[in-house]
């Protein structure tokens, strides 16, 4: 946790006008690690940006919230997010907010809100599970470490690049990296040719995917960091990064 024993505050302003405002940042914070922190766009024209939290916590501001929560920028809980639904039964390592406001989460869990979801799920901003995502099957066979959304104006726009330690999705081969459609089905045209566990992914403007993987020495072209093509996921051998030490 953060060690807070009383409610921390922040003072805003004090510039040319001299006016200040003091806001309370939560009651006591979270009781364990936060791994994912994602800004959420306002839901109305006059609404405010909020933050989605994913991690290994089970309590936020003295409220039971199992590994997922939404807070205001001032640290107060978003009361429209129903933590009583159950949340995730194990750690959430990654999250990505889609254009419609729904949130894809990845991690090491087997259930979300009491429903079988293996390491990936999509929840709505009220905390309910989006059952339209991954309507068939339950997900991956091992941990999801990273999520990245395709945002280029292509046929793949909105799809989800998933990285982790897995080797199947719904029983179909998918080694460490996969791309899912917006409804949570496997994109079989994308077959990544990486050689190690995927720890981080970033989608570039052209739709290609930068990937930090565990093959530090096994990849002589670009140790530890590779680029995958947008169409099929094949490794871009013209991308020659100097390598990562660890």
């Amino acid at each position: 946790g953060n060690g807070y024993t009383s409610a921390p505050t922040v003072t805003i302003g004090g510039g040319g006008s001299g006016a200040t405002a003091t806001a309370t940042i939560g009651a006591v914070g979270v009781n364990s690690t936060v791994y994912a922190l994602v800004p959420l766009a306002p839901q109305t024209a006059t609404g405010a940006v909020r933050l989605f939290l994913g991690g290994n916590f089970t309590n936020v501001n003295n409220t039971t919230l199992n590994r997922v929560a939404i807070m205001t920028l001032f640290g107060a809980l978003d009361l429209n997010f129903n933590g009583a639904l159950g949340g995730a039964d194990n750690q959430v390592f990654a999250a990505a907010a889609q254009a419609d406001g729904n949130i894809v989460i990845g991690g090491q869990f087997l259930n979300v809100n009491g429903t079988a979801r293996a390491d990936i799920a999509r929840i709505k901003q009220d905390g309910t599970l989006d059952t339209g995502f991954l309507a068939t099957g339950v997900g991956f066979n091992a941990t999801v470490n990273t999520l990245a959304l395709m945002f280029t104006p292509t046929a793949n726009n909105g799809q989800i690049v998933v990285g982790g330690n897995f080797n199947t999705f719904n029983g179909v081969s998918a080694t460490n990296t996969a791309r899912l459609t917006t409804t949570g089905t496997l994109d079989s045209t994308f077959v990544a040719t990486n050689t190690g566990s995927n720890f981080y992914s970033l989608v570039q403007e052209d739709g290609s995917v930068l990937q930090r993987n565990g093959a530090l020495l096994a990849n002589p072209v670009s140790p530890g960091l590779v680029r995958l093509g947008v169409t099929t996921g094949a490794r871009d051998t013209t991308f020659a990064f100097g390598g990562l030490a660890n």
Side-chain angles (χ1 to χ4, degrees):
N2 56 23
Y4 291 143
T5 56
S6 61
T9 61
V10 61
T11 299
I12 303 170
S17 67
T20 64
T22 299
T24 299
I25 306 184
V28 293
V30 298
N31 69 335
S32 190
T33 309
V34 172
Y35 293 112
L37 190 63
V38 179
L40 302 176
Q43 292 183 297
T44 65
T46 58
V49 174
R50 290 154 303 128
L51 296 173
F52 172 84
L53 284 68
N56 196 33
F57 54 84
T58 56
N59 190 287
V60 182
N61 293 355
N62 283 330
T63 300
T64 297
L65 289 165
N66 290 315
R67 303 171 185 88
V68 290
I70 295 179
M71 306 183 77
T72 71
L73 291 180
F74 295 104
L77 288 176
D78 182 344
L79 299 181
N80 293 316
F81 186 85
N82 187 358
L85 295 172
D89 69 343
N90 209 332
Q91 299 178 93
V92 173
F93 292 135
Q98 297 186 300
D100 60 4
N102 291 338
I103 305 153
V104 182
I105 59 173
Q108 205 172 23
F109 49 83
L110 293 177
N111 290 274
V112 175
N113 293 353
T115 299
R117 286 293 186 273
D119 307 309
I120 192 163
R122 188 165 67 193
I123 59 176
K124 300 179 181 180
Q125 292 195 23
D126 61 1
T128 58
L129 180 69
D130 183 353
T131 56
F133 182 83
L134 196 58
T136 302
V138 296
F140 292 96
N141 71 324
T143 305
V144 168
N145 295 322
T146 178
L147 299 168
L149 299 181
M150 306 292 291
F151 57 87
T152 55
T154 71
N156 308 112
N157 197 33
Q159 291 192 330
I160 307 141
V161 178
V162 186
N165 305 324
F166 50 82
N167 53 49
T168 64
F169 175 80
N170 282 350
V172 178
S173 178
T175 303
N176 301 322
T177 301
R179 188 166 67 192
L180 304 184
T181 68
T182 56
T183 59
T185 60
L186 185 67
D187 179 358
S188 59
T189 68
F190 188 87
V191 182
T193 54
N194 64 309
T195 56
S197 298
N198 187 345
F199 298 115
Y200 184 77
S201 296
L202 176 68
V203 177
Q204 297 186 294
E205 287 187 15
D206 63 355
S208 59
V209 180
L210 282 179
Q211 177 192 93
R212 162 71 167 94
N213 65 36
L216 295 178
L217 301 176
N219 175 14
V221 176
S222 182
L225 187 67
V226 297
R227 184 163 65 190
L228 308 178
V230 61
T231 304
T232 65
R235 179 182 295 161
D236 180 358
T237 56
T238 66
F239 180 80
F241 179 70
L244 298 173
N246 53 54

